[in-house]
Amino acid sequence: MCAHVLVAEDDEMQAELIRRSLLTEGHTATVVHDGAAAITAARKLRPDLVVLDLMLPVIDGFGVCRALRGEDDIPVLMLTARSTEDDILLGLELGADDYMTKPYSPRELMARIRTVLRRSGRTTDSRQEDTVVRAAGLSVDPARHEVRCDGTPVDCTPAEFEILLAMTAEPERVFSRRQLLQYTRGLDRASTERAVDVHIMNLRRKIEADPRRPARLLTVFGVGYKLRGGRA
């Protein structure tokens, strides 16, 4: 189910999180940070889906949805911190296909996107390509929610899975604690950046031969963590 998704989100970190999650799922993505740019991009690119934040500058998400619905049937998934019943009903009345509130799990967002795309008929489920992400002896399967280390199954919590999926998709990239926390937010709303250290420690116990001397999940002092090893 490969699709071109337009992401309209003014928070750059949230937008980047969504973009990377979409790429991991096999989609392509275009990111804009205000409502006017969203309308222009939608008209020019005619994406398969729009992930639309409501609190956009220039033109808010309601205005963007109203403009798009006046001229096209592009599916819209609204994503916002506004969760009152009136906001949800207004979004749906304007033609939004789904509505998610922040904070959210990136995994749940990707599942919602798959559902909206399937309902829209713009893509099919006959995906042929391998969506398993592989690096550093690890394989992470987002469709089956499975992790293997050197071929051996690894049991991961949802937060550990999201962290490992992000790092396996971009080996050698240094992730800050704050960036990794973005991948788990919504799974545990009370999480802090220090909770990332606990997740990394637990992952090392599961994928390292010697957790005290990690060879895969490395600490980059003063910055965060990285996964050593190239994509397979």
Side-chain angles (χ1 to χ4, degrees):
M1 188 186 293
C2 293
H4 181 197
V5 180
L6 173 63
V7 179
E9 167 63 74
D10 65 327
D11 184 315
E12 293 187 7
M13 286 192 64
Q14 289 288 327
E16 180 63 7
L17 170 62
I18 297 169
R19 187 186 74 85
R20 292 183 185 279
S21 297
L22 287 165
L23 295 180
T24 299
E25 288 279 303
H27 303 302
T28 58
T30 298
V31 175
V32 295
H33 299 297
D34 68 70
I39 294 172
T40 299
R43 288 170 174 167
K44 179 180 179 181
L45 302 174
R46 301 185 65 80
D48 298 302
L49 173 75
V50 179
V51 175
L52 179 64
D53 181 39
L54 287 188
M55 304 299 288
L56 291 173
V58 186
I59 301 174
D60 69 12
F62 290 128
V64 174
C65 191
R66 189 178 292 109
L68 295 182
R69 282 293 170 265
E71 57 192 61
D72 207 337
D73 62 348
I74 299 171
V76 174
L77 190 158
M78 285 188 170
L79 187 63
T80 179
R82 295 168 62 169
S83 58
T84 68
E85 185 178 30
D86 286 344
D87 287 331
I88 295 173
L89 291 176
L90 178 56
L92 296 176
E93 287 170 0
L94 288 172
D97 297 85
D98 202 354
Y99 196 110
M100 283 190 68
T101 58
K102 301 176 183 179
Y104 58 87
S105 157
R107 186 166 169 243
E108 181 186 359
L109 175 60
M110 293 303 108
R112 295 280 196 97
I113 286 173
R114 287 194 296 271
T115 298
V116 172
L117 287 170
R118 190 178 300 116
R119 287 202 310 253
S120 72
R122 289 178 174 246
T123 58
T124 68
D125 277 333
S126 58
R127 177 162 50 176
Q128 299 297 320
E129 69 232 65
D130 185 2
T131 60
V132 178
V133 182
R134 299 179 176 87
L138 301 169
S139 64
V140 183
D141 187 340
R144 295 179 177 85
H145 205 261
E146 294 178 350
V147 176
R148 290 180 178 270
C149 179
D150 297 327
T152 301
V154 178
D155 289 328
C156 292
T157 67
E160 291 166 2
F161 183 89
E162 298 294 349
I163 288 173
L164 207 54
L165 177 59
M167 298 183 79
T168 306
E170 295 188 85
E172 299 294 343
R173 176 191 171 188
V174 179
F175 291 83
S176 69
R177 290 179 178 85
R178 184 181 179 191
Q179 288 169 330
L180 290 174
L181 182 63
Q182 294 292 321
Y183 287 90
T184 67
R185 186 157 291 168
L187 299 171
D188 180 358
R189 298 186 182 193
S191 289
T192 66
E193 291 185 19
R194 302 306 300 178
V196 172
D197 296 336
V198 177
H199 294 316
I200 294 293
M201 179 180 66
N202 290 335
L203 280 169
R204 282 172 172 164
R205 291 188 182 123
K206 297 174 181 181
I207 69 172
E208 298 284 3
D210 183 353
R212 295 171 298 176
R213 298 179 177 83
R216 288 186 171 100
L217 280 178
L218 306 185
T219 300
V220 180
F221 291 100
V223 184
Y225 300 99
K226 74 171 182 177
L227 180 68
R228 173 186 283 172
R231 290 287 297 271

